Structure formats: C-alpha cells, structure tokens
C-alpha cells in the first residue's frame, strides 16, 4: 500500500515497502529504495518546507579557519550547522605536480534555496583558488532534523513555507 502526503509546494510520497513513487504532473517516476525506517521519510523532490536539503562539502586549510567559517555561516543563517573534521590529508594535482597536504573538512547543512548565498559567502572568505565547494542533495532523513535545518537556514524576517 502506498500513501501520499502533500506539502505546500511539493508532493512527497512515503514508501510502505521497497519502492517509492513520485507523481508529478504528466509523469510518474518509480525509484527503488531500501525500506524506510520508522521516524524517517523519503524526500524525492523536496522536503516539507518546499526546499531541498543539501550537505555542502568544503575543504579548508586548518581548524582555525574551519571554526571561523562555521561560525560565520551559522550566524548569517546560511547553514543550520557546520560539522568540522580535522586531520584529513588530500592528494591532488596542482600546477603539473602531485601535492599532499593536511586540511579540514566542513560539512554544511543547508537548503537549496540558501546554496547560492552560502557559496558566495564561502568564496568571499576562502583562501584557496579555487576552493572545493560541492553540494550533495539529501534524499532521505529524519523528518524533525530536516525541518530544523530548513528553519535555521531561513533568513531572519522570512517565514518558511508551511
């Protein structure tokens, strides 16, 4: 049995089995997924706030810069949360040579609606040319957490969609 839940600007279909069906005007998309655990839900087109949640992967030179970047992005409501992973080693090609260097990873939790402003702000602050800024869409997640990300990534004075 399938059941659909309509939110303001999207339609999300929850799976009761191993398949999720997303219906859009004029077409039907069927996707195979593992069984969705209780308390979680499938986000096929967008989350309950009508915007898609993203995890934005950013590499930075050190822990101090990562902390400053995280504080800035969260305080400006460009991201709800920034996780910092210290001690990562990168191997990369740069100007014809293979280089190695220690870096940190920042995982920024935001929405597609806020991505452009988040990327612009990272580019203003980041010392690398070009910096690694890559966004991954979130397709499944714990509903209260995703709602929290949407709420905390909404600029002050702007209400998120119900």
């Amino acid at each position: 049995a399938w059941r659909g839940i309509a939110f303001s600007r999207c339609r999300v279909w929850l799976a009761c089995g191993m398949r999720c069906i997303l219906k859009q005007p004029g077409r039907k998309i069927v996707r195979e997924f593992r069984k969705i655990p209780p308390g979680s839900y499938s986000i096929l087109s967008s989350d309950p706030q009508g915007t898609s949640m993203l995890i934005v992967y950013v590499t930075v030179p050190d822990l101090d810069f990562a902390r400053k970047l995280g504080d800035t992005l969260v305080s400006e409501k460009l991201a709800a949360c920034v996780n910092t992973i210290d001690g990562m080693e990168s191997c990369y090609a740069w100007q014809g040579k293979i280089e190695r260097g220690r870096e940190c990873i920042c995982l920024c939790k935001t929405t597609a609606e806020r991505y452009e402003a988040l990327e612009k702000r990272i580019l203003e602050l980041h010392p690398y040319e070009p910096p690694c800024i890559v966004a991954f869409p979130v397709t499944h997640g714990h509903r209260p957490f995703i709602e929290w990300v949407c709420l905390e990534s909404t600029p002050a004075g702007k209400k998120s969609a119900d």
Side-chain angles (χ1 to χ4, degrees):
W2 303 96
R3 81 179 178 193
I5 299 177
F7 296 101
S8 64
R9 288 180 279 168
C10 66
R11 184 171 294 269
V12 177
W13 290 83
L14 302 181
C16 296
M18 298 297 283
R19 296 171 73 198
C20 291
I21 297 178
L22 170 65
K23 289 188 177 184
Q24 295 177 339
R27 64 185 185 148
K28 179 172 96 173
I29 301 169
V30 178
R31 296 188 183 167
E32 300 290 331
F33 289 109
R34 293 188 183 137
K35 199 164 224 169
I36 299 170
S40 297
Y41 74 127
S42 173
I43 314 163
L44 297 177
S45 61
S46 53
D47 66 45
Q49 300 299 322
T51 58
S52 299
M53 182 178 161
L54 301 174
I55 303 290
V56 182
Y57 174 90
V58 181
T59 57
V60 298
D62 57 46
L63 187 57
D64 287 337
F65 183 81
R67 287 177 175 157
K68 289 174 189 168
L69 181 65
D71 289 349
T72 300
L73 297 177
V74 171
S75 69
E76 295 178 8
K77 292 191 139 316
L78 296 168
C81 171
V82 177
N83 299 125
T84 300
I85 304 168
D86 193 15
M88 184 261 296
E89 181 178 87
S90 292
C91 174
Y92 55 94
W94 184 249
Q95 298 179 343
K97 295 182 353 186
I98 301 297
E99 303 281 341
R100 288 193 179 277
R102 291 187 59 82
E103 296 180 296
C104 291
I105 299 167
C106 291
L107 298 173
C108 309
K109 293 160 185 121
T110 192
T111 62
E113 178 183 54
R114 298 297 284 154
Y115 177 79
E116 193 173 312
L118 177 125
E119 180 184 52
K120 181 179 178 190
R121 190 67 171 122
I122 292 170
L123 290 171
E124 290 170 359
L125 300 170
H126 209 294
Y128 291 173
E129 185 55 46
C132 172
I133 307 169
V134 182
F136 299 96
V138 173
T139 60
H140 291 77
H142 183 57
R143 183 177 184 166
F145 179 78
I146 292 169
E147 290 170 349
W148 173 80
V149 168
C150 292
L151 178 69
E152 292 302 319
S153 299
T154 301
K158 182 177 177 187
K159 291 186 177 185
S160 56
D162 294 316

